[in-house]
Amino acid sequence: MKHKMIRNFAARRLIAATTFLSAVYLPAAFAQTIVNNIYSEKGLAGTMSQTQLDANTYTSQARFGWNNRRIVIDETLKLDDKGRVLGFEAQGQSAFGADISESYVWENGHAKWRNDDEQSSANTTQPTFYVPKNSTLAIENALIRYLIKNDLEKIKVLPHGKVTFTKLDTVKLGDEQVYLYAKSGLTMTPDFAWYDEDGNYFAQNWGGMYVIRDGFSTAQFEQLKARQLRAEQTYLENLAEQLTEYYSALLLDQVNVFDVEKGITLKDQQVLIEQGKIVAVAPKIKLSKKVATVNGQGKTLIPGLWDMHGHLSKNTGILNIATGVISVRDMGNKHQNLMEIQALFDTGKVLGTRVYRAGFLDKYSENSAGLSVKTLEEALDMVDFFADNGYVQIKLYSSIDPKWVKPIAQRAHSRGLRLSGHIPAFMTAEQAVHAGYNEIQHINMLFLNFLAGEKVDTRTTQRFSLIGEKAAEMPMTGEEMDSFIKLLADNNVVIDPTVSTFRSLLMSKNKQIDQEFAEIASHLPPDFVRNLKGAQMQVEEAHQSAYQNSGDAMLKMVKILYDAGVPMVAGTDSVPGFTLLRELELYTMAGIPATEVLKMATIDSAKLMGVAHQTGSISEGKVADLILVDGDPVQDIKALRKLSLVIKGTQVFKPEAIFEQIGITPFTEASRIIL
């Protein structure tokens, strides 16, 4: 299939809703344009620009990309004399190539909006603000300008929800006065960004990328970045202080304890924790003093969960902790950023997990991502750097030269590091295993061993589209497949499938909530749920059925791996916490017993990271990284959503309180701790 990355959007315009936009007289002399440049680690990644055509009419353009993803959005916006939205239209493509076509119009007390996934309306006597499904520059700037001009901190918006807007900082940058604001209320975490005096977007530290107004330098951005990070951290520290409880001793009474190593549940046990460690597990423990106690009747205690494919930021700890994920292997981050995150999590200043670090490495190309090097010598030096700084393994990416894999593996192994990653383009998974891979990230790489071989450039989106089109029809048995699976098993090659994330990519459909989140959507913030609707990829109608079947084929592959004794670990590479719970559910849907799935997500992961002597199971002397489940996940893995308590050493968290703080409806009540 050839992706229709950009369609003829003119044929799909909503003429009735937007006729007035094309009829407006736009004098060229009035036009004023501001440009924001977007940078990745490789330099300029694109731009977002806004042009004011007259007193009430704006257009904007977004053109930027990273790692084979390309966003294209064209926007037209009409405001009333008070700066409120009368009409809006946006067209373009999402990061994975899905169409964007969205419009909004207010007229005579009636607002109507439409995009590829929803069509609705509301009665509102005055023009108001609409939040697009796909974030656009001009309409967001208009909202910020209106809030500033009218000295407002909150405003209701359509389709639903309320935006809270808080000024955090002010700084003079050259001749420009800029302001840092936190915008919250629509998603699970606030958005921090800088705006100029007129309320127009100016700069933002944006994960692995950043934005700054054209004409301003990288050094000036670094000044803003430092201040933004301090403000974000203050917010997260206040949250951690509010949501963390500490107990030097804690008794879990009448609780069912799941032994992950034996696969059995011990009924009506007592578990005593002192100074963050498990000191006793028994039907009855003799206490020398009174301690804080939790009634565990009807609940199951299991070890804290592991996400073996995370990409951490300071605010991902909130969702991880609330969903029982206590340990995360970070699979690609900037060194200084990750070290800071780990320090904040370890000290409890910010809600967060235990952190295990994998060093990311790619060869510089137009498709490369993250830390990119240009020579093998530089690659080997980076292996040494990661080894010297306490990393547990190296993750290679798709642009790595296949000829480099064996020497990188040899250097990594000589330094005590494991080697894993994507399978480099023009290389097969079988060749990567022979060259020294200890682990493979993503289930699609196993299918590509047969579908791409050494000829297809899997640095491109073909590593997704080939799977969607052909995975379902690929033979899952036979000499070639059996030999490959045996190679993985014989070499103890670990597979990190991230099945849920790939099913979201391949199987999501327009006008439908992503099935990976459908069962919990009613608990999630409204705008977050709204963005779960729609296809992530542009899939031609002729291939729709194949993509759905290929998502199911991934579950068949997971079961084949399990039956053959190929080790697996559970990871996300997506929304923290909830994706991990869904990943485990999918493994049971594939036919793997829940006892084995829970083992993968606890003790097996701890063993792989070399820390099973201190964590990963409920044993005397181990660190008390534990979760209390309201129900029995052995009987129904979905019970993992119903956490009444999360324990990380001496820290105790109540998911109910965390969820309420970030706009999520809790799944169960918190356990009471009786002093």
Side-chain angles (χ1 to χ4, degrees):
M1 151 183 125
K2 290 185 178 179
H3 282 280
K4 292 184 178 178
M5 301 302 279
I6 306 178
R7 290 184 172 178
N8 181 0
F9 292 105
R12 305 178 61 195
R13 291 170 62 92
L14 303 172
I15 302 299
T18 56
T19 299
F20 73 93
L21 292 177
S22 59
V24 175
Y25 174 64
L26 307 176
F30 193 90
Q32 300 179 31
T33 299
I34 55 175
V35 177
N36 294 314
N37 293 325
I38 304 172
Y39 295 90
S40 70
E41 73 282 347
K42 290 187 287 186
L44 186 65
T47 61
M48 287 189 291
S49 63
Q50 173 188 277
T51 299
Q52 183 176 4
L53 298 171
D54 65 20
N56 302 102
T57 310
Y58 296 79
T59 63
S60 78
Q61 287 188 329
R63 300 284 190 278
F64 62 94
W66 74 101
N67 189 21
N68 299 305
R69 296 155 175 82
R70 178 77 178 165
I71 287 178
V72 176
I73 301 177
D74 293 296
E75 174 190 9
T76 306
L77 176 66
K78 182 70 175 180
L79 306 175
D80 71 354
D81 290 339
K82 293 184 177 181
R84 300 171 299 190
V85 180
L86 293 175
F88 157 83
E89 182 178 333
Q91 299 172 341
Q93 73 173 41
S94 69
F96 285 102
D99 287 352
I100 293 172
S101 183
E102 186 165 13
S103 68
Y104 168 89
V105 62
W106 181 90
E107 191 173 20
N108 298 324
H110 191 67
K112 296 187 294 184
W113 58 93
R114 182 176 180 177
N115 57 51
D116 288 335
D117 300 306
E118 56 189 7
Q119 180 176 348
S120 193
S121 62
N123 293 322
T124 169
T125 56
Q126 298 291 324
T128 188
F129 281 92
Y130 170 75
V131 177
K133 183 175 186 293
N134 297 278
S135 180
T136 51
L137 184 63
I139 201 167
E140 180 171 309
N141 282 345
L143 172 63
I144 304 305
R145 286 196 304 270
Y146 183 83
L147 290 167
I148 293 173
K149 180 180 178 180
N150 293 280
D151 195 26
L152 298 174
E153 291 186 352
K154 291 184 179 181
I155 187 171
K156 289 183 178 180
V157 294
L158 293 173
H160 40 62
K162 183 183 294 183
V163 173
T164 300
F165 193 60
T166 308
K167 184 192 289 187
L168 301 176
D169 198 3
T170 306
V171 67
K172 187 83 169 178
L173 205 67
D175 295 329
E176 195 81 54
Q177 190 85 5
V178 294
Y179 306 88
L180 177 66
Y181 289 93
K183 184 179 67 174
S184 57
L186 296 177
T187 59
M188 289 182 276
T189 55
D191 181 62
F192 300 86
W194 294 89
Y195 295 84
D196 64 21
E197 285 188 295
D198 295 323
N200 292 310
Y201 186 54
F202 185 87
Q204 186 175 24
N205 181 51
W206 192 17
M209 305 172 77
Y210 70 90
V211 182
I212 191 163
R213 182 73 54 83
D214 188 46
F216 290 82
S217 67
T218 300
Q220 289 172 309
F221 167 75
E222 290 296 331
Q223 179 184 352
L224 297 182
K225 175 183 176 181
R227 299 177 78 115
Q228 179 184 332
L229 291 176
R230 282 198 297 270
E232 290 181 20
Q233 187 165 316
T234 298
Y235 168 85
L236 294 171
E237 287 179 4
N238 290 338
L239 201 61
E241 185 176 358
Q242 178 182 343
L243 296 171
T244 307
E245 299 178 23
Y246 290 89
Y247 296 92
S248 58
L250 185 66
L251 179 71
L252 302 171
D253 187 32
Q254 293 182 286
V255 67
N256 298 325
V257 175
F258 180 61
D259 186 327
V260 291
E261 294 185 280
K262 295 180 180 178
I264 60 174
T265 299
L266 305 174
K267 301 289 186 177
D268 296 325
Q269 300 289 297
Q270 289 188 325
V271 178
L272 180 61
I273 300 166
E274 292 183 352
Q275 304 301 325
K277 288 194 174 184
I278 302 166
V279 297
V281 180
K284 188 67 176 177
I285 299 171
K286 186 176 181 179
L287 300 174
S288 59
K289 58 182 178 181
K290 187 175 181 180
V291 299
T293 302
V294 175
N295 184 346
Q297 273 190 320
K299 296 179 173 61
T300 306
L301 190 69
I302 69 170
L305 302 174
W306 288 65
D307 179 353
M308 293 294 278
H309 196 128
H311 294 280
L312 293 169
S313 65
K314 292 178 184 178
N315 59 15
T316 54
I318 299 170
L319 273 179
N320 276 321
I321 290 296
T323 52
V325 178
I326 298 181
S327 298
V328 174
R329 180 177 62 176
D330 186 287
M331 294 303 291
N333 218 314
K334 292 184 178 180
H335 175 69
Q336 289 184 331
N337 183 50
L338 189 53
M339 295 301 291
E340 182 184 12
I341 290 168
Q342 185 170 359
L344 291 170
F345 288 0
D346 286 349
T347 58
K349 291 185 71 175
V350 169
L351 266 67
T353 62
R354 314 286 184 193
V355 178
Y356 299 85
R357 292 176 275 127
F360 183 95
L361 194 59
D362 204 3
K363 181 182 179 182
Y364 188 89
S365 77
E366 63 178 2
N367 297 303
S368 58
L371 176 62
S372 303
V373 297
K374 295 182 178 179
T375 68
L376 175 59
E377 289 71 24
E378 290 178 355
L380 298 177
D381 287 344
M382 286 310 306
V383 172
D384 287 335
F385 172 84
F386 290 130
D388 291 341
N389 284 276
Y391 284 67
V392 294
Q393 67 189 71
I394 304 295
K395 175 189 174 184
L396 301 183
Y397 210 63
S398 300
S399 290
I400 285 288
D401 188 330
K403 297 185 182 68
W404 291 10
V405 174
K406 187 172 183 178
I408 289 174
Q410 290 173 337
R411 179 65 63 88
H413 295 159
S414 73
R415 297 299 310 272
L417 301 180
R418 305 171 67 256
L419 183 67
S420 74
H422 289 202
I423 305 302
F426 312 112
M427 188 180 202
T428 67
E430 183 177 347
Q431 290 169 340
V433 171
H434 287 301
Y437 263 46
N438 304 108
E439 180 178 343
I440 296 172
Q441 263 69 55
H442 306 304
I443 195 79
N444 68 321
M445 295 294 163
L446 305 186
F447 287 93
L448 290 173
N449 184 73
F450 304 96
L451 299 177
E454 300 176 67
K455 296 181 180 179
V456 177
D457 188 352
T458 53
R459 295 173 299 179
T460 70
T461 54
Q462 288 190 86
R463 70 176 180 267
F464 310 124
S465 60
L466 266 178
I467 305 304
E469 292 173 23
K470 298 183 178 181
E473 62 188 41
M474 195 182 84
M476 305 291 278
T477 59
E479 184 177 347
E480 190 177 11
M481 176 62 77
D482 294 347
S483 176
F484 175 64
I485 298 297
K486 187 175 186 300
L487 175 71
L488 299 176
D490 289 349
N491 287 273
N492 207 37
V493 176
V494 177
I495 306 300
D496 163 22
T498 63
V499 175
S500 179
T501 298
F502 272 89
R503 283 168 59 90
S504 289
L505 181 63
L506 298 180
M507 302 176 75
S508 55
K509 297 179 180 180
N510 287 337
K511 298 180 174 62
Q512 295 183 20
I513 293 176
D514 181 351
Q515 65 178 308
E516 302 304 300
F517 294 89
E519 282 196 36
I520 63 170
S522 62
H523 290 260
L524 305 179
D527 210 51
F528 182 84
V529 173
R530 188 175 177 224
N531 281 283
L532 293 174
K533 289 183 179 179
Q536 293 190 34
M537 296 181 69
Q538 183 58 43
V539 181
E540 294 179 357
E541 187 173 350
H543 292 301
Q544 292 281 354
S545 178
Y547 271 63
Q548 298 301 309
N549 292 335
S550 292
D552 291 333
M554 292 182 174
L555 295 187
K556 295 178 183 177
M557 177 65 82
V558 165
K559 183 58 161 56
I560 288 170
L561 295 170
Y562 170 76
D563 288 342
V566 177
M568 286 184 288
V569 291
T572 59
D573 200 21
S574 185
V575 178
F578 290 119
T579 308
L580 191 278
L581 301 186
R582 175 61 172 173
E583 184 82 2
L584 302 182
E585 181 185 348
L586 288 173
Y587 295 171
T588 64
M589 289 169 58
I592 303 175
T595 54
E596 293 298 309
V597 173
L598 293 170
K599 184 180 177 185
M600 289 178 195
T602 56
I603 190 64
D604 286 355
S605 296
K607 287 178 180 177
L608 195 65
M609 294 295 93
V611 293
H613 61 289
Q614 62 188 32
T615 189
S617 64
I618 304 174
S619 306
E620 294 179 4
K622 288 194 174 184
V623 174
D625 288 350
L626 308 168
I627 59 177
L628 190 60
V629 181
D630 191 356
D632 184 358
V634 174
Q635 299 301 317
D636 182 4
I637 200 80
K638 294 179 185 179
L640 288 174
R641 299 172 190 161
K642 299 173 68 175
L643 297 185
S644 65
L645 217 60
V646 174
I647 302 168
K648 177 192 171 192
T650 58
Q651 298 174 309
V652 178
F653 307 96
K654 295 177 178 176
E656 180 185 21
I658 299 176
F659 284 144
E660 288 175 342
Q661 185 69 38
I662 59 179
I664 295 174
T665 302
F667 295 83
T668 194
E669 293 182 358
S671 290
R672 291 181 59 201
I673 300 174
I674 301 171
L675 299 176

